[in-house]
Amino acid sequence: MFFQDFKHFNGNQTQIGDPTDYLNSFMLLPYYEFSTNRFWSEAHFEHHFEGFLLDKLPLIRKLGWTSVLGGSFIYTKDQKNYFELNFGIENIGKGIFRFFRADVVSSFRKGKYEKTGFMIGLNLPIS
């Protein structure tokens, strides 16, 4: 097989992302490091707390921010497993301009901590 025929996973090596794409991409994964033509498995999870955590803090409650917890997992025969865990705050902004999200992301390779990074999400309402 040629390299362009491999399965390439949606990685990101920048600090800017699209929150609508977080459930099918990784925030800290190098672009082609996990590309494979062999068996692979991928899973993504995200839970939006809808104010359950941040509504307990009086000054933060007035801002209207909500928290989100997520995780992404990948397994390939060659590279073994890779896992990302992220915690973020969404609806950052003012009035109708609430299209920012900030996440702290930690990545783990083969069960060992690798690195931590930050993501700024821009959820622009473009149709």
Side-chain angles (χ1 to χ4, degrees), residues 38-118:
R38 302 176 76 189
F39 173 79
W40 59 271
S41 181
E42 176 181 15
H44 302 275
F45 169 79
E46 208 172 67
H47 179 73
H48 298 264
F49 289 96
E50 302 300 333
F52 179 73
L53 296 176
L54 297 180
D55 277 358
K56 309 298 187 248
L57 305 169
L59 295 177
I60 301 294
R61 181 179 345 157
K62 292 185 181 212
L63 295 173
W65 296 351
T66 58
S67 54
V68 60
L69 178 68
S72 297
F73 174 80
I74 187 172
Y75 174 85
T76 64
K77 192 92 168 157
D78 300 326
Q79 295 286 337
K80 302 303 178 204
N81 58 28
Y82 176 85
F83 179 72
E84 289 182 352
L85 183 65
N86 64 292
F87 179 78
I89 296 175
E90 55 187 1
N91 292 332
I92 300 173
K94 183 125 174 112
I96 62 170
F97 302 105
R98 294 185 171 275
F99 42 76
F100 290 104
R101 174 173 162 175
D103 284 272
V104 176
V105 187
S106 292
S107 64
F108 303 86
R109 235 182 247 242
K110 298 179 185 173
K112 295 183 180 171
Y113 170 78
E114 185 178 46
K115 64 181 175 180
T116 298
F118 298 95

Side-chain angles (χ1 to χ4, degrees), residues 18-35:
D18 180 5
T20 60
D21 199 34
Y22 286 173
L23 281 176
N24 65 4
S25 64
F26 295 86
M27 296 182 187
L28 297 177
L29 183 72
Y31 293 118
Y32 298 107
E33 190 170 333
F34 278 77
S35 297

